Every structure is written in structure tokens, then in C-alpha cells.
Amino acid sequence: KMNERSSRSHSILIIEVSQKAVMQKKGDVEEEVYTSKNSRVYLVDLAGSERVTKSGATDPLRFQELTRINQSLTTLSRVIETLSDNATVNADKPKLPPYRESMLTWLLVDAFGGNSKTTMLATVSPAQSNAAETHSTLRYASRTRKIINQALVNEDPSDALIRALQEEMTLLKLQLADRQQQQQQQPLSSMSPRISEEVERLRNKLCFSEKFVEELREHQHQERLEWDMKFQEMRAVHDRKDQKHKELQQSFEGAAQELDTARAEAQRKAEEVAALHQLLAEKEDFIAEK
């Protein structure tokens, strides 16, 4: 039987990577440039589609697994077909792929047609009996090759602007040092006014860039503090709700225990009443006989 020992399931491992800071060196000047970059790595092992006649899925549970796997693969095929058509035929009016029709495609929405670099490995069988599945898999992979992704760095705009300004400031410092060296090497009488003006211009531009970067850092710091405060408030609300939920759960458990105790007591009383009725009936029968 086909896939007799297979788990018959899709396996998805998602790894989130976050980079907070990196050291960069420009020329002889070394400084720490703070950045914030985030990325995700998707490792996906797809279960292959199969036919009932080959797999022999007579068990209802196995048949249900087979149906759901084939349905998710069909949805993924439609997503790949739509994306490949958007890259070739429907480039002017792209269509929206049916990501929401399957949990598999919804989880992989960033990997297919998103901000990502995707590699697909297709495994096929050389057996002649699996020629139809091999042809379908190769056609599947061929359509995937037509998808065009444009991967961009997931970087905070403020961090990117600060990094660009710091690079510009480093370049300005090097240019200013070079012009000042030229200015010192020339005699005061033969000094060109153009060099002095350029030195002054570089100083002003460097001063403006440093002030602007400082303001951006201050704004970014205040913004992060505000987000931290909001996060702490949300966490406090969550903790209060969680504590309230625990108290309600404990109260419910206590009420359930009291109800069970009351039911047991009522059952015991009912048994005592039944025993008394039985005893009374026996006494009445005894009196009636005499």
C-alpha cells in the first residue's frame, strides 16, 4: 500500500529571527549602529497527494486524513497557479490568490508571493506505477518556478533612516578631515576661499545631521517608552482578567463540590426515608396479620 507507514500530515516549522544591533565600520571610524530587523524561516514538509485505490484507505479516519490532505494540496495548487498567472498572464490586473481557503496556504501566505525567498524541493518516484503522481508533482514544481518574489529587508523605517544618516555623517567626517588637512598644508596667504567655504559647509551639514539624528533617537526612545507603557498596561489588564478567571474557576469548582456534596446528602436522606418506609410497611403487615 502507498504511504502505509507515513504519518500523512503536513509538517511546518517556523523560526523567528530578530536582529537588534550590529557593529559597522566605515573607514577608520568604528561606531555602533542600532538596527531592528525581523525575519521568519519556514521549513515545510508537505504530504504527497494519493488516490484511494493505491493507498487502500478503507479506515474512515485514514480516509478523512487523505481527503483533507488532498484538499489542502489542491488549494495550494490553486494559489501557485494564480501567482504564476499574475507573474505572466495577469501582470496588469493580478488576481487575489485563495489563501484563506486552507489552513496550509494561510500559514504560508508570506512564503508564496510575499516578501520572501522560497525554495521548493520536489520528490518523485522512478516507478512506472507512480508515473501519474510524478508528472503531477513536476507540473506542480514547474508552476512554482514562475512565481516572482521581491524580497526586502524587514527593517524599522526609523532605524533605516538613522542608519543612513549615520553613514552620511561618517562620510562627512572623512570629507571634513580631508579638507582640513588640505587647509593646514596650504599657506595662509595662498589659501583658497573655496576650501574654507567647503569646510564651513561640511561643518554645518555635519552639525545639522548630528542634531537631526539626536532628535530622531530621542523621538524613537520616547515612542518605545510609550509602547512599553502600553504593553505593561495590556499585560496588567491580561493579568487581572487571568486572575479573575482563576477566581471564577475556583468558585465554580467550589460550587461544583458543594453541589456534589448536597447530591450525596440528598441521596443518603432518600435512602434513609426509603428504609423507614420499608420498616413501616413491615410493621403494618405484622399488625394486620395479628
Side-chain angles (χ1 to χ4, degrees), residues 98-199:
Y99 291 116
R100 295 178 178 270
E101 294 185 10
S102 173
M103 180 63 69
L104 175 66
T105 53
W106 181 244
L107 288 174
L108 301 179
V109 63
D110 293 331
F112 287 96
N115 184 21
S116 64
K117 293 183 179 180
T118 305
T119 302
M120 181 177 181
L121 302 179
T123 57
V124 296
S125 172
Q128 186 176 0
S129 58
N130 298 327
E133 287 80 3
T134 299
H135 184 265
S136 175
T137 302
L138 292 177
R139 187 172 53 197
Y140 209 90
S142 179
R143 286 184 177 273
T144 308
R145 293 179 58 188
K146 298 179 182 179
I147 300 176
I148 300 176
N149 287 352
Q150 296 179 354
L152 302 175
V153 178
N154 293 323
E155 187 176 13
D156 187 87
S158 300
D159 293 336
L161 180 58
I162 291 175
R163 179 173 53 82
L165 288 173
Q166 286 178 331
E167 292 178 355
E168 183 181 1
M169 286 166 53
T170 302
L171 182 60
L172 288 174
K173 289 178 182 179
L174 294 175
Q175 292 178 356
L176 182 59
D178 184 58
R179 294 298 183 272
Q180 287 178 344
Q181 186 178 4
Q182 292 180 6
Q183 190 178 25
Q184 292 176 359
Q185 290 177 355
Q186 291 183 358
L188 186 60
S189 58
S190 61
M191 185 180 300
S192 174
R194 185 179 60 82
I195 296 180
S196 300
E197 293 176 358
E198 189 172 358
V199 168

Side-chain angles (χ1 to χ4, degrees), residues 43-278:
L43 301 177
V44 185
D45 182 15
L46 296 177
S49 61
E50 61 183 38
R51 299 178 181 177
V52 180
T53 55
K54 285 190 174 183
S55 62
T58 57
D59 182 67
L61 181 60
R62 180 69 182 273
F63 182 78
Q64 188 178 11
E65 291 177 352
L66 187 149
T67 304
R68 290 182 178 179
I69 288 172
N70 291 342
Q71 183 180 3
S72 63
L73 291 175
T74 301
T75 305
L76 180 59
S77 178
R78 291 174 55 202
V79 169
I80 293 175
E81 182 178 1
T82 304
L83 291 173
S84 61
D85 290 342
N86 290 342
T88 55
V89 181
N90 302 325
D92 297 333
K93 295 181 179 180
K95 296 181 180 180
L96 182 65
Y99 291 116
R100 295 178 178 270
E101 294 185 10
S102 173
M103 180 63 69
L104 175 66
T105 53
W106 181 244
L107 288 174
L108 301 179
V109 63
D110 293 331
F112 287 96
N115 184 21
S116 64
K117 293 183 179 180
T118 305
T119 302
M120 181 177 181
L121 302 179
T123 57
V124 296
S125 172
Q128 186 176 0
S129 58
N130 298 327
E133 287 80 3
T134 299
H135 184 265
S136 175
T137 302
L138 292 177
R139 187 172 53 197
Y140 209 90
S142 179
R143 286 184 177 273
T144 308
R145 293 179 58 188
K146 298 179 182 179
I147 300 176
I148 300 176
N149 287 352
Q150 296 179 354
L152 302 175
V153 178
N154 293 323
E155 187 176 13
D156 187 87
S158 300
D159 293 336
L161 180 58
I162 291 175
R163 179 173 53 82
L165 288 173
Q166 286 178 331
E167 292 178 355
E168 183 181 1
M169 286 166 53
T170 302
L171 182 60
L172 288 174
K173 289 178 182 179
L174 294 175
Q175 292 178 356
L176 182 59
D178 184 58
R179 294 298 183 272
Q180 287 178 344
Q181 186 178 4
Q182 292 180 6
Q183 190 178 25
Q184 292 176 359
Q185 290 177 355
Q186 291 183 358
L188 186 60
S189 58
S190 61
M191 185 180 300
S192 174
R194 185 179 60 82
I195 296 180
S196 300
E197 293 176 358
E198 189 172 358
V199 168
E200 188 65 24
R201 182 183 63 82
L202 289 173
R203 284 177 178 172
N204 293 335
K205 191 173 183 180
L206 180 61
C207 181
F208 175 78
S209 298
E210 288 177 346
K211 185 177 179 181
F212 188 53
V213 167
E214 190 66 27
E215 291 177 355
L216 279 177
R217 283 179 173 173
E218 182 65 24
H219 175 72
Q220 191 179 41
H221 179 68
Q222 294 295 332
E223 191 175 28
R224 287 177 178 174
L225 288 178
E226 291 178 0
W227 279 108
D228 288 342
M229 291 177 60
K230 291 181 181 179
F231 177 74
Q232 294 297 334
E233 292 175 358
M234 291 177 62
R235 174 175 287 183
V237 172
H238 179 268
D239 292 341
R240 287 196 297 268
K241 288 184 178 180
D242 190 33
Q243 183 65 27
K244 188 68 175 178
H245 176 72
K246 290 181 180 179
E247 292 176 356
L248 289 174
Q249 186 175 5
Q250 292 176 357
S251 177
F252 176 77
E253 292 176 354
Q257 291 179 357
E258 292 178 358
L259 180 60
D260 292 339
T261 304
R263 286 177 177 175
E265 185 68 20
Q267 182 67 23
R268 188 177 63 81
K269 294 292 185 181
E271 293 176 354
E272 291 179 356
V273 171
L276 289 174
H277 280 294
Q278 182 67 23

